[in-house]
Amino acid sequence: QVQLVESGGGLVQAGGSLRLSCAASGSTFSMYAMAWFRQAPGKEREVVASINWRGGRTYYRDPVKGRFTISRDVVKNTVSLQMNSLKPEDTALYYCAATKSGDLGYGASWYEYWGQGTQVTVSS
């Protein structure tokens, strides 16, 4: 069983940066693939970035490529999302997700465990 707790959201002006963190509990966390999703009001939940269990493979949604970076620390049991050059369209509730599969996935159904979410609001 894995429990995920996100932190680091907030209000930032366009062009600014935020760093989201997800703390995971569970002894097998290091074997899990992880991801960050986001959901804006009236829209479907979408994957933002994902990382495999080794950390050697990552995926980024096209609109965030070059601006966001996903990383994990298996010693601290955390996964982070560094978000730079933020835009108003990045405004959403951001979720951390985990899957027992070591491979990264692109859809919400791939992930079994979810955090409660942290709000990111980017003002223009």
Side-chain angles (χ1 to χ4, degrees), residues 54-101:
R54 287 182 177 268
R57 290 183 60 220
T58 57
Y59 164 82
Y60 295 95
R61 192 171 197 84
D62 281 346
V64 309
K65 284 181 180 178
R67 299 189 297 124
F68 290 11
T69 303
I70 189 171
S71 60
R72 67 187 302 164
D73 186 327
V74 295
V75 175
K76 296 181 178 179
N77 274 8
T78 59
V79 62
S80 299
L81 184 69
Q82 177 67 42
M83 305 186 296
N84 299 327
S85 301
L86 283 161
K87 304 176 181 181
E89 51 264 43
D90 294 319
T91 295
L93 189 60
Y94 283 70
Y95 297 90
C96 177
T99 177
K100 293 178 182 178
S101 167

Side-chain angles (χ1 to χ4, degrees), residues 103-116:
D103 292 330
L104 56 85
Y106 313 109
S109 61
W110 185 254
Y111 297 87
E112 301 98 284
Y113 305 104
W114 292 84
Q116 294 299 308

Side-chain angles (χ1 to χ4, degrees), residues 39-56:
Q39 188 167 19
K43 295 188 177 182
E44 291 187 355
R45 191 171 298 189
E46 62 184 21
V47 65
V48 176
S50 55
I51 188 167
N52 72 338
W53 73 279
R54 287 182 177 268

Side-chain angles (χ1 to χ4, degrees), residues 28-39:
T28 58
F29 166 76
S30 61
M31 303 296 290
Y32 287 44
M34 305 293 295
W36 286 95
F37 282 75
R38 67 187 180 188
Q39 188 167 19

